[in-house]
Amino acid sequence: MESKKLKNFINGEWIESKCGDYLPVEDPGTGEIISNVPLGSKEDVELAAHQAAEAYGTWRNVPVEKRIQYLFKMKSILENNADEIASICTKECGKTFSESKAEIVRAIENVEVACGIPTLMQGEFSEDIATGIDEFVIRQPLGVGACIAPFNFPIMISFWFFPYALACGNTYIVKPSEKVPETMTRIFELFEELNLPKGVLNLVHGGKPAVDAILEHPAIKAISFVGSSNVAKYVYSKGTANGKRVQAQGGAKNPLVVMEDANLDTTTRIIADSVYGCAGQRCLAASTIILVGKAKEKFKNKIIEAAKSKTTCYGLDEASQMGAIITKESKNRILRIINEAESKGAHLLLDGRNQKVKNYENGNFIFPTILENVPQNAEADTTEIFGPVMNIKYRNTLDDAIDLINSGRYGNAACIFTSNGGAARKFRRDVLAGNIGVNIGVPAPVASFPFSGWKESFFGDLHGQSKHAVEFYTQTKVVIERWHDEWTRKF
Ligand code: NAD
């Protein structure tokens, strides 16, 4: 049977892409082709941007209390269809079913926070800044917004942005990753029940051609990007040069420090969950584990045991604790990085290469892998691997560990495990990273906090989620009003 060709959703209708080129989308756990996605075209984006700009004229005049009624319905739709959405996500993304379900929870959280827009968007007012003069700030929407999403969270990431943008009165275009296009397509099908006015929320598929068209279209005023650092930098520089607001979240290589006074069982379990969750394809995954001082003797073997205990299997299999790598190319890249580290002298404490999952021999699986003593000239030392590979390092003191962390290119997240408040406080203050975990392995901010990120993990000023998203998708207008007594006494 021929697999389906996905369509764009523009101005309330499912429309075939103007681009004739389609990319097959494979189930990473089986290798089976499950759909075909258009590579995207300028015409698709132009049509979506035009319709979104038309819809903006009326949407921004819908009272805010009415706008958020659509979000309340959105929450119910996501809740009522969570299992179906999670199955589609698992099939095309390779993660486990429970990881897909967790994404929906995070998406819903963002819808809930965006329902607070009537308060979050409120302005400020100062009476009598001079005789008979008042001054105030109002927040107004920007126009058309767009988000460009990565493959690793097909559900959650777009929700860091568009619920806030819509609630603030903007209209929107979502561009999912071409590697996982079906999940968002299904969400948009379900959202037809919302009966949003046509053109308010649009879906455009594609890869680079669609992104470039978004970066160039004059009607698109704000862009939220999440993906690898090099593309984030490109999107940020091109988008801002074209006069748009851009927030661009990039890649990561997150360190996790273990002090000798950390709890042995909890810490090792959480480390394995952090490194191997989503098969290491998570921007907040710990990838470099730094054992400080005597933590080496206490933790090393237990960490290896915890890693070995993970069951790698097809994501929809109930036993699965770790799913597949997104594509064959990604799997081969990860294997190449491990091989190179080994050939340059790194020790393989746990080797997850050359392993097969029974009944899923064509899947892109790599089992948990641990490297030790990776030399500085190996790619594994500094590059984001984005796979189930842990790199263990040793340092004598916390200061040495912090120096190592701060010398890195990225600043997405950093974690410390300790029972010493002073060590935790020093870490929190001195580490150059935007999301800090203290006895937490994946410091993912809840929706009411911004998803931070520093250095080459973020380009821009305001982050996704929370009040940051509200500020990003609105602009302030200051009004100074004089109602002089002499003019107003007549009533
Ligand atoms: P990617 O950069 O390859 O793709 C992201 C998006 O950019 C996709 O929609 C893709 O179509 C588009 N794109 C890809 N190449 C492009 C190009 N040359 N020009 C224009 N557009 C292009 O990222 P990915 O592989 O889908 O996702 C994994 C990356 O995302 C990792 O680096 C990960 O750390 C990062 N990520 C970061 C966060 C965060 O919050 N900082 C969250 C999730 C993922």
Side-chain angles (χ1 to χ4, degrees):
M1 195 179 69
E2 208 187 317
S3 51
K4 58 185 164 268
K5 279 184 168 178
L6 299 180
K7 291 184 175 171
N8 295 327
F9 186 75
I10 299 175
N11 202 31
E13 282 174 40
W14 291 98
I15 296 176
E16 210 161 285
S17 165
K18 294 276 178 293
C19 143
D21 295 332
Y22 282 76
L23 188 74
V25 180
E26 280 183 15
D27 177 337
T30 62
E32 172 205 0
I33 293 175
I34 47 180
S35 64
N36 293 284
V37 64
L39 279 175
S41 72
K42 197 171 173 187
E43 289 90 325
D44 295 341
V45 171
E46 273 175 356
L47 182 62
H50 171 76
Q51 297 297 354
E54 288 264 309
Y56 174 65
T58 42
W59 180 245
R60 70 157 295 197
N61 294 323
V62 174
V64 64
E65 290 290 347
K66 286 205 170 148
R67 291 202 299 263
I68 62 166
Q69 298 312 312
Y70 293 99
L71 297 190
F72 288 118
K73 279 198 224 160
M74 208 177 255
K75 170 177 151 77
S76 311
I77 292 173
L78 291 171
E79 281 169 348
N80 296 340
N81 297 281
D83 282 354
E84 188 203 346
I85 298 168
S87 302
I88 297 170
C89 175
T90 297
K91 257 179 104 51
E92 72 175 356
C93 186
K95 59 175 64 176
T96 67
F97 184 69
S98 58
E99 287 167 345
S100 298
K101 285 286 283 276
E103 274 202 60
I104 299 182
V105 173
R106 289 285 177 157
I108 291 171
E109 254 179 30
N110 276 282
V111 174
E112 287 167 348
V113 172
C115 285
I117 290 290
T119 318
L120 291 169
M121 212 182 151
Q122 265 169 4
E124 292 158 31
F125 195 103
S126 286
E127 205 175 38
D128 295 325
I129 53 137
T131 309
I133 300 182
D134 308 321
E135 184 161 334
F136 53 99
V137 178
I138 45 182
R139 289 201 163 271
Q140 297 191 330
L142 301 170
V144 182
C147 72
I148 299 161
F151 79 80
N152 63 330
F153 285 95
I155 306 165
M156 172 185 75
I157 284 180
S158 305
F159 284 85
W160 289 349
F161 312 112
F162 80 78
Y164 302 92
L166 294 189
C168 289
N170 302 279
T171 54
Y172 214 77
I173 301 169
V174 174
K175 198 222 62 83
S177 162
E178 67 277 26
K179 291 175 190 157
V180 290
E182 204 180 336
T183 307
M184 199 46 75
T185 302
R186 183 61 190 139
I187 290 173
F188 267 68
E189 282 171 3
L190 294 165
F191 280 179
E192 282 187 78
E193 215 184 286
L194 292 172
N195 283 324
L196 268 166
K198 285 176 194 285
V200 168
L201 184 59
N202 306 279
L203 175 77
V204 172
H205 288 297
K208 186 171 168 49
V211 173
D212 284 336
I214 288 172
L215 292 172
E216 277 158 22
H217 201 287
I220 298 174
K221 305 293 180 199
I223 298 172
S224 302
F225 172 89
V226 182
S228 53
S229 286
N230 289 345
V231 183
K233 208 186 280 184
Y234 166 75
V235 166
Y236 184 76
S237 52
K238 196 161 176 193
T240 50
N242 286 341
K244 300 175 193 315
R245 254 186 210 194
V246 184
Q247 48 182 196
Q249 301 186 204
K253 190 168 181 73
N254 303 310
L256 185 153
V257 170
V258 184
M259 305 300 288
E260 71 173 89
D261 57 16
N263 180 283
L264 184 63
D265 291 332
T266 324
T267 303
T268 45
R269 180 178 48 77
I270 295 178
I271 287 176
D273 288 347
S274 174
V275 177
Y276 302 115
C278 298
Q281 300 164 107
R282 227 173 2 182
C283 66
L284 292 176
S287 70
T288 306
I289 307 299
I290 308 169
L291 304 182
V292 174
K294 292 194 183 122
K296 179 176 180 179
E297 286 81 58
K298 183 172 161 188
F299 285 92
K300 182 173 153 182
N301 289 335
K302 264 291 218 191
I303 289 174
I304 300 171
E305 266 174 46
K308 267 188 197 160
S309 75
K310 288 272 166 204
T311 307
T312 308
C313 190
Y314 187 58
L316 286 173
D317 189 316
E318 272 184 25
S320 182
Q321 293 176 318
M322 193 173 97
I325 305 297
I326 187 71
T327 58
K328 293 203 168 35
E329 294 72 36
S330 297
K331 178 182 169 181
N332 290 336
R333 176 184 165 271
I334 297 165
L335 293 176
R336 179 181 57 69
I337 292 173
I338 301 171
N339 294 342
E340 190 227 21
E342 189 184 30
S343 72
K344 288 187 169 166
H347 300 154
L348 262 168
L349 297 178
L350 186 63
D351 187 356
R353 300 170 295 180
N354 307 316
Q355 307 268 5
K356 292 267 178 224
V357 173
K358 196 164 169 248
N359 300 327
Y360 296 99
E361 284 78 8
N362 291 328
N364 312 322
F365 295 100
I366 299 178
F367 284 35
T369 298
I370 303 181
L371 294 166
E372 182 192 44
N373 297 337
V374 175
Q376 279 180 358
N377 65 349
E379 211 179 327
D381 189 52
T382 46
T383 305
E384 177 180 38
I385 301 176
F386 226 52
V389 183
M390 182 190 303
N391 186 355
I392 300 191
K393 293 192 176 199
Y394 308 104
R395 285 298 180 269
N396 291 329
T397 64
L398 178 57
D399 281 324
D400 295 343
I402 293 175
D403 285 347
L404 173 68
I405 294 170
N406 289 349
S407 67
R409 168 186 177 199
Y410 299 104
N412 213 33
C415 301
I416 185 167
F417 281 74
T418 182
S419 54
N420 181 321
R425 184 169 187 275
K426 180 178 178 51
F427 187 86
R428 153 161 73 77
R429 285 191 80 241
D430 294 352
V431 162
L432 302 178
N435 299 290
I436 300 290
V438 176
N439 298 322
I440 297 283
V442 180
V446 292
S448 48
F449 284 83
F451 192 106
S452 209
W454 285 18
K455 293 161 86 177
E456 295 210 22
S457 297
F458 183 71
F459 303 89
D461 302 295
L462 293 161
H463 297 270
Q465 301 197 141
S466 75
K467 275 191 212 155
H468 276 228
V470 179
E471 287 185 28
F472 184 79
Y473 279 107
T474 51
Q475 55 196 337
T476 50
K477 185 180 272 178
V478 175
V479 183
I480 308 168
E481 268 188 16
R482 185 201 307 270
W483 292 109
H484 205 280
D485 255 10
E486 286 167 24
W487 309 340
T488 56
R489 281 271 168 81
K490 296 183 186 98
F491 52 86

